[in-house]
Amino acid sequence: KDLNGLLITGDGPTSLIKGISATGFDILQLNSVSNLKIKNLALTAIKTSDSSVDGVNGISMTNGTHDVVIDGVLVFNLPYLVKPNYIDGGKAFSVQQGSLGQVGSKNITVQNSASKAVAFGFELDADTNSSYEPSNIQILRNNFEADVQGISFSFTASQNPQTVFDALIDGNV
């Protein structure tokens, strides 16, 4: 869905979006959207049950989301679950190929933002056997504090030697 340059903005950390649910969820799920800017907000979540099924993500970008800028967003205290082979939830900012996998996410910038007490500050998951890889991903001048891992890239085992992935990662702490 083309959002035609929509700007969602707040007044910094006092502009708080707080998700509350018994099960896992994404606070902001950007599924196949384009031309969006999110600026000067804070996101957090509370899970009201001990459900061992799902965790909570901050901003998830899936199934071909493109031309999105996230600027000055703080994500903190996301519930997550440690599973045998992965961590479910706890991603402040994530790019996921999604179940449709027919369009690669591209032109995504996360800048001047922060995460605190989450599993991953930024995570990208991609299936390198798909011809629809994420591209032009920029992670710039962010502060990932007290996270399990600041930045994570996860790829399937590739059977496609022509897979190309490009990202710019600069100025993050």
Side-chain angles (χ1 to χ4, degrees), residues 38-61:
I38 300 171
K39 188 172 181 173
N40 299 330
L41 293 173
L43 308 173
T44 192
I46 295 175
K47 220 169 107 178
T48 60
S49 77
D50 290 334
S51 166
S52 61
V53 178
D54 305 300
V56 176
N57 292 322
I59 300 176
S60 293
M61 295 163 272

Side-chain angles (χ1 to χ4, degrees), residues 79-98:
Y80 61 90
L81 299 167
V82 177
K83 303 276 187 148
N85 297 318
Y86 67 99
I87 295 177
D88 191 278
K91 299 165 187 80
F93 310 100
S94 70
V95 175
Q96 303 166 24
Q97 197 152 353

Side-chain angles (χ1 to χ4, degrees), residues 1-8 28-39 41 43 58-73 92-96 104-113 122 135-140 142 168:
K1 173 79 177 157
D2 187 343
L3 299 177
N4 297 307
L6 177 68
L7 171 63
I8 300 172
L28 295 177
Q29 170 52 260
L30 309 181
N31 188 36
S32 297
V33 303
S34 62
N35 299 307
L36 170 67
K37 185 170 187 177
I38 300 171
K39 188 172 181 173
L41 293 173
L43 308 173
I59 300 176
S60 293
M61 295 163 272
T62 59
N63 292 317
T65 291
H66 62 91
D67 299 296
V68 170
V69 175
I70 298 168
D71 189 3
V73 174
F93 310 100
S94 70
V95 175
Q96 303 166 24
S105 296
K106 62 184 180 181
N107 305 329
I108 294 173
T109 300
V110 179
Q111 63 189 15
N112 308 313
S113 293
F122 176 88
S135 63
N136 192 27
I137 309 298
Q138 298 186 40
I139 313 303
L140 308 170
N142 300 292
L168 175 60

Side-chain angles (χ1 to χ4, degrees), residues 94-155:
S94 70
V95 175
Q96 303 166 24
Q97 197 152 353
S99 58
L100 300 178
Q102 299 302 308
V103 180
S105 296
K106 62 184 180 181
N107 305 329
I108 294 173
T109 300
V110 179
Q111 63 189 15
N112 308 313
S113 293
S115 62
K116 185 173 183 177
V118 301
F120 299 99
F122 176 88
E123 185 184 54
L124 180 136
D125 292 320
D127 178 359
T128 56
N129 297 303
S130 168
S131 58
Y132 306 103
E133 291 303 315
S135 63
N136 192 27
I137 309 298
Q138 298 186 40
I139 313 303
L140 308 170
R141 300 174 306 279
N142 300 292
N143 183 9
F144 303 120
E145 181 183 342
D147 299 342
V148 173
Q149 189 168 354
I151 299 173
S152 172
F153 292 93
S154 174
F155 301 95

